[in-house]
Amino acid sequence: MAVEKCAEPPLVQDRTPGPYRIAVATDYDRKALEVLRLNFRSTPTICGDIRSISSAELMDAAGIGLGEAGLVIGGPPCTPFSKSGFWLEEKRESRDPDASLLDEFVRVVGECQPQGFVLENVQALTYRTHATRFSRLLRGLEDVGYSVGFKVLIAADFGVPQLRRRVFVIGRRDRGLLMMPQPTHSGWSERDKSVDLSRLPYVTAKEAIGDLLPGIPEDGEIAEGTFGQHLAEVPAGENYLWHTERGGGRNMWKWRSRYWTFLLKLDPDRPASTIQAQPGPWVGPFHWDNVDTPSAPRARRLRIPEMKRLMTFPDSFEIDGRRADVQRQLGNAVPVELGKAVTRSLAISLGHLASDQHGVVLPDQLVLV
């Protein structure tokens, strides 16, 4: 195992020492890399399509050689596998050309030979519709020399105030046993009503963002237009079903005729639903409180500081640009506390961290690609 030693270990975002440093980062979205550099100013970056970037180029930019990376971490775009795209035949049949980016992740892992890797994607990647593609991914990672495991995790189980479900695929080069993190929190969701009372309760939306009220209004936050009045009438924690024959509002739509997120408002006493990267104009979650406008009370979209909290980014994390650009980056991100839980668990199994009843013992810094 080759370790990149640092005389003065870099710090992670909350300013506490961590076991890794980012050796190089790559993305085709220049704005995403600009945000990364705002927060990790010394990190080398390469902007471009991963299909045209060689592993040698990545290692050269990182200043590391073959096998010296501690981890390769990646999140190939989830659009080809997301349920929100199932209205397209090519996506339902897993024929989206962007799905080949999974193969690129396998290529980089195989050519860089890190000690371990983490891949994150939407839960739908594990559905039967994509069984061939997912099996190909797992086989490919095994073929380049790794033991491989995967699990769908709920962000709220790890202290994130959001019921986001994502699949994590992890692996290690020494083909040793793999360990996924154990949940620290418990609560009920639409799919699971059981609660483990030995764990901490889920963090609610109000606990996460309630102290930001009244806050600073943002351009474009007011939900005006076709369904503006109908959305304003939806109570906290409800969605368009409020306006069906079974709800308490207007009888406008058939029961379960729309996506769950249509006209969805946050329930302040529960975690938020998934923060989406590119929501339509009437896709929630919207804030539970209406705001006064010259015409009438209206619902509002979540503000950037609120989305950061619901993704467990520190308030000090810098992110700028148009609202749509910011939401796309936050919605595409892995919630910080969930990412930390997965990476920490893998780091312990690899011996990069030693865990005991008193906490974590930090070794020298390892590189992260």
Side-chain angles (χ1 to χ4, degrees), residues 96-340:
D96 191 313
D98 285 344
S100 67
L101 295 176
L102 293 176
D103 296 333
E104 294 302 312
F105 184 85
V106 174
R107 172 181 67 83
V108 172
V109 169
E111 293 175 352
C112 292
Q113 287 291 298
Q115 294 169 43
F117 65 79
V118 178
L119 180 147
E120 178 265 356
N121 215 293
V122 293
Q123 179 185 10
L125 178 58
T126 65
Y127 291 176
R128 184 172 12 176
T129 305
H130 303 300
T132 300
R133 178 67 66 175
F134 191 47
S135 295
R136 175 176 169 176
L137 168 69
L138 301 180
R139 272 197 320 271
L141 291 167
E142 291 171 349
D143 289 346
V144 296
Y146 290 78
S147 58
V148 180
F150 71 91
K151 189 173 184 179
V152 173
L153 301 177
I154 304 174
D157 285 351
F158 301 92
V160 177
Q162 189 180 159
L163 292 168
R164 174 183 291 240
R165 294 172 184 264
R166 291 294 185 266
V167 62
F168 287 85
V169 183
I170 61 174
R172 39 189 302 188
R173 190 178 64 200
D174 63 7
R175 294 187 179 274
L177 294 176
L178 294 164
M179 181 172 64
M180 282 290 186
Q182 292 298 311
T184 54
H185 294 65
S186 182
W188 65 270
S189 68
E190 286 72 21
R191 305 182 195 181
D192 189 355
K193 303 299 183 183
S194 63
V195 178
D196 187 340
L197 297 178
S198 69
R199 296 172 181 160
L200 295 170
Y202 277 170
V203 179
T204 68
K206 187 175 183 178
E207 288 174 320
I209 66 175
D211 67 312
L212 296 178
L213 294 173
I216 301 173
E218 294 179 358
D219 291 341
E221 72 174 25
I222 304 298
E224 295 277 17
T226 308
F227 303 118
Q229 181 177 347
H230 310 110
L231 174 58
E233 295 169 358
V234 172
E238 301 284 350
N239 61 3
Y240 80 98
L241 294 175
W242 180 254
H243 291 306
T244 67
E245 62 181 1
R246 301 191 194 183
R250 310 173 189 224
N251 188 2
M252 296 182 61
W253 291 285
K254 292 182 179 180
W255 184 259
R256 293 188 177 175
S257 61
R258 299 267 183 152
Y259 276 116
W260 177 258
T261 51
F262 182 57
L263 306 188
L264 175 65
K265 281 188 176 178
L266 288 174
D267 182 337
D269 298 320
R270 300 192 59 237
S273 59
T274 300
I275 305 301
Q276 298 196 31
Q278 295 175 294
W282 303 107
V283 171
F286 295 88
H287 201 279
W288 63 81
D289 269 350
N290 287 338
V291 295
D292 290 328
T293 72
S295 58
R298 286 290 181 262
R300 71 165 174 86
R301 298 174 177 87
L302 294 171
R303 296 165 182 162
I304 291 170
E306 293 166 339
M307 288 189 283
K308 284 166 54 176
R309 287 273 188 94
L310 294 174
M311 292 294 292
T312 58
F313 278 87
D315 289 348
S316 60
F317 189 85
E318 297 181 60
I319 182 167
D320 57 18
R322 296 184 306 117
R323 178 189 173 85
D325 294 331
V326 172
Q327 176 148 2
R328 184 177 67 254
Q329 292 179 57
L330 289 173
N332 281 332
V334 176
V336 174
E337 291 304 314
L338 176 59
K340 284 167 61 177

